[in-house]
Structure formats: structure tokens, C-alpha cells
Amino acid sequence: MTRLMKTAVEHFPIAGSFTISRGSKTTASVVTCHVSDGGFAGIGECVPYARYGETIDSVLAEIETIRTQIEAGIDRQTLREAMKAGAARNAVDCALWDLEAKQTGNRAFTLARLSEPAALTTAYTISLGEPEAMAAQTAQYAHRALLKVKVGTTDDASRIRAVRAAAPKSAIILDANEGWTDDNLAYHFAVCAESGVSLIEQPLPAGRDGLLASVHRPVPVCADESVHKTEDLPKLAGLYDAVNIKLDKTGGLTEALRMRDAARVLNLQIMVGCMVGTSLGMAPAVLLAQGADFVDLDGPLLLARDREPGLRYEDSLVFPPLPALWG
């Protein structure tokens, strides 16, 4: 099968700014991969992430190294062996899913042997800031069922309490983005328990996970930066209660489905998350997130503009993608 591949870079302004413990940004830059067979074209999107040593240029270069194999008809399983986990493989993998759906006339969820997807309750992200600013932002979204709150400073107690006071009825995921330390971990855990936090995401830097074995965890703890592929899971079982599966980390839907199944065998809860990207990047993750314990697919809601057509969001719900978008 002869194919043609092309890549593109697109920039989408963020509504305001997006701030975590590692910094702020005002633009979401994404890479798309298009794979066509002359009659049909599939597309996938990824978000290069500096935390993992990725840039726009490095992702484009990585995709380019496998152009010959892609155009010669590589399948998703061979792709998984030919490219490492990460954003570049995600864009190619999702393009191949989309291409096969169009070639066969089957939806991607059918190809993945999944049930027809339903709408999901997704988190909405509150950026890191001073407690008063975070409380004010939270108050605007206190009607949402689930909030994901960015923290990760040496003293987050006032932020946690301010957000909880501003959204007394919302379930809260707290994301420290590796920002806590050995010295303040137990204190922050206690404040989270006092404030009724539902989940704490990646409190310690990746590689420091072992400390979680020796500290009381009154609130479930989820690995994010510490988990990228299925082979990472065994060493995290017992330290974490959940894992955050993101397509840009796993390198696509193919590996993400494999990781989800393996995590369940290890009795780890499933969170499906995202980088700040468009509806195209979220669409395959909606399939992955069916049946997940926590869903955080609000990337398009953080943008000043999204793709057309995009995913449908209604209150706290995100709906499955239409074929015109992906899959």
C-alpha cells in the first residue's frame, strides 16, 4: 500500500494563560500528522512537551525518521516497536487509526473492539495562582461536577482551602506537577484530606516515588510524570493508587489501551488526561476514557478557539467525536 505523509504545525491561543508549577503559557502549539492512501486521509495531533525533552522541531524530526515506513504501509503494532513512546508516535498512531476507520467504513471504537462511547464527565482545570485569584477563578466554575486544581508550591494549604471554599460541591483533583517535597508532603496530604480532595496527582518529582511507601496516604494518589508506558506500571503498584494515561506520553491510542488493561490487572484506578490541545487531540482519548475513574479532557475548553468541527462540551460533559473530526 503506497501512502503519502505530511506534517504541519499549528498554534492555538489559550484563553488568558495556563499556569502550573513549572510556568505559564498563552499558546498551545500542536503538530499534526496526515497519512493518506490517495483516497482517504487520516489525521492525528500531538503536543510536544518540554518536561519530556520534546520540542516542535524534535517531534517533526522524529516523525520524519520513519516517513519511509509510514508511506510503505506500517501498521500500528509495528509502529509501536519502531518509535519510542511520546508525542511524535501519538500523532502517527492516531492518524493510522483515523485512516483505517475511513478505509473500512468502521468507527475507531469498533476497530478497537470497544463499546459505542458515551458522554463523560470531565474535569475543568484551575490554573496555579495566589489563593485569592484561584478562589475567584474557581467560583466561576463551581457549578462543574469535577475540577482539577493546579498547585505545587512549598505551601499550598491556603490555595487548597480557598478553592474548596469557593466550590464546596465540586469533586476536586489536585495536581502538584512534582512540586511537593519530602518535608511538606505529609502536611499537604493532611490538608487534602481535611478539604475533601478526591485525588492527588504526582505530588513528588518522578524518581522520588519511593517515599510514598513510607507516608500515610489519606487521599488516593495518582502517577502522571512517573508513568509513560505499560512497562512502568509494576514498579508503581503499591506506591500509587491510580495512573494518569495521556496519549502524548504513551505514544498513541494503541499503547494507551494496552496500558489501561495492564493497570486494571494491577488494581490501579484509571485517569485519562491530556495536554493543552485541540479537540482533535482529545478525540481518541474520549474512547480510552470510557469506564475510567477520572477524566480530564478539557484541553479545548482552555483555548480561545478550537477546531471546526470540535468536540461537543455541555456543562461538565464531553461527548464522543463525530466522524468529521476523527475516527
Side-chain angles (χ1 to χ4, degrees):
M1 177 192 306
T2 301
R3 298 172 177 160
L4 292 175
M5 185 200 79
K6 64 179 181 178
T7 55
V9 178
E10 298 175 76
H11 305 283
F12 293 83
I14 292 173
S17 64
F18 179 74
T19 303
I20 65 173
S21 59
R22 284 190 286 271
S24 299
K25 64 178 184 178
T26 57
T27 301
S29 297
V30 306
V31 172
T32 56
C33 178
H34 303 248
V35 182
S36 65
D37 65 359
F40 300 97
I43 184 171
E45 175 186 295
C46 73
V47 180
Y49 199 44
R51 168 65 180 82
Y52 304 136
E54 297 172 337
T55 64
I56 293 288
D57 288 343
S58 74
V59 164
L60 290 171
E62 190 176 344
I63 295 173
E64 194 62 34
T65 65
I66 200 167
R67 172 183 291 276
T68 300
Q69 291 166 267
I70 293 170
E71 295 189 338
I74 193 171
D75 61 28
R76 293 189 303 276
Q77 295 302 328
T78 307
L79 177 74
R80 180 178 166 272
E81 300 166 3
M83 297 183 77
K84 70 178 189 294
R89 191 174 74 189
N90 179 33
V92 180
D93 179 76
C94 290
L96 295 182
W97 277 102
D98 190 39
L99 177 61
E100 184 176 350
K102 291 171 178 173
Q103 289 171 329
T104 63
N106 292 310
R107 297 303 309 274
F109 67 82
T110 300
L111 298 175
R113 297 188 175 90
L114 301 173
S115 299
E116 185 169 358
L120 301 165
T121 297
T122 180
Y124 183 85
T125 302
I126 305 299
S127 285
L128 177 63
E130 292 304 314
E132 298 78 8
M134 292 182 73
Q137 185 187 4
T138 300
Q140 298 178 51
Y141 301 100
H143 62 285
R144 291 185 174 272
L146 180 62
L147 297 174
K148 177 170 172 174
V149 179
K150 295 290 188 178
V151 290
T153 71
T154 54
D155 181 11
D156 282 325
S158 57
R159 293 174 171 84
I160 298 167
R161 290 171 178 143
V163 164
R164 171 47 79 201
K169 296 182 180 180
S170 301
I172 291 176
I173 300 168
L174 207 69
D175 186 2
N177 281 117
E178 305 179 280
W180 291 351
T181 67
D182 300 21
D183 295 332
N184 62 35
L185 184 67
Y187 172 61
H188 282 138
F189 276 2
V191 175
C192 287
E194 161 205 309
S195 301
V197 169
S198 298
L199 188 72
I200 303 167
E201 196 178 342
Q202 196 69 42
L204 295 168
R208 298 283 296 162
D209 314 278
L211 182 64
L212 295 171
S214 60
V215 65
H216 176 54
R217 303 197 306 268
V219 174
V221 180
C222 178
D224 181 6
E225 284 86 350
S226 290
V227 59
H228 292 255
K229 54 189 185 295
T230 305
E231 290 73 20
D232 294 333
L233 294 175
K235 69 178 183 290
L236 300 178
L239 301 177
Y240 289 94
D241 307 287
V243 290
N244 188 346
I245 304 176
K246 296 177 180 176
L247 300 185
D248 278 312
K249 290 190 303 175
T250 66
L253 181 61
T254 303
E255 174 68 13
L257 290 167
R258 182 172 176 264
M259 182 187 291
R260 180 203 62 185
D261 294 344
R264 286 175 173 163
V265 170
L266 293 169
N267 295 314
L268 289 163
Q269 289 185 300
I270 306 297
M271 177 178 178
V272 175
C274 66
M275 307 303 186
V276 183
T278 77
S279 285
L280 177 60
M282 306 303 117
V286 172
L287 306 191
L288 175 70
Q290 299 295 311
D293 301 282
F294 299 92
V295 178
D296 176 29
L297 297 177
D298 66 339
L301 297 178
L302 306 177
L303 302 178
R305 63 176 177 85
D306 190 17
R307 298 185 185 277
E308 292 290 344
L311 287 173
R312 175 185 164 202
Y313 288 88
E314 186 175 303
D315 296 325
S316 295
L317 296 178
V318 56
F319 289 79
L322 297 174
L325 173 61
W326 181 88

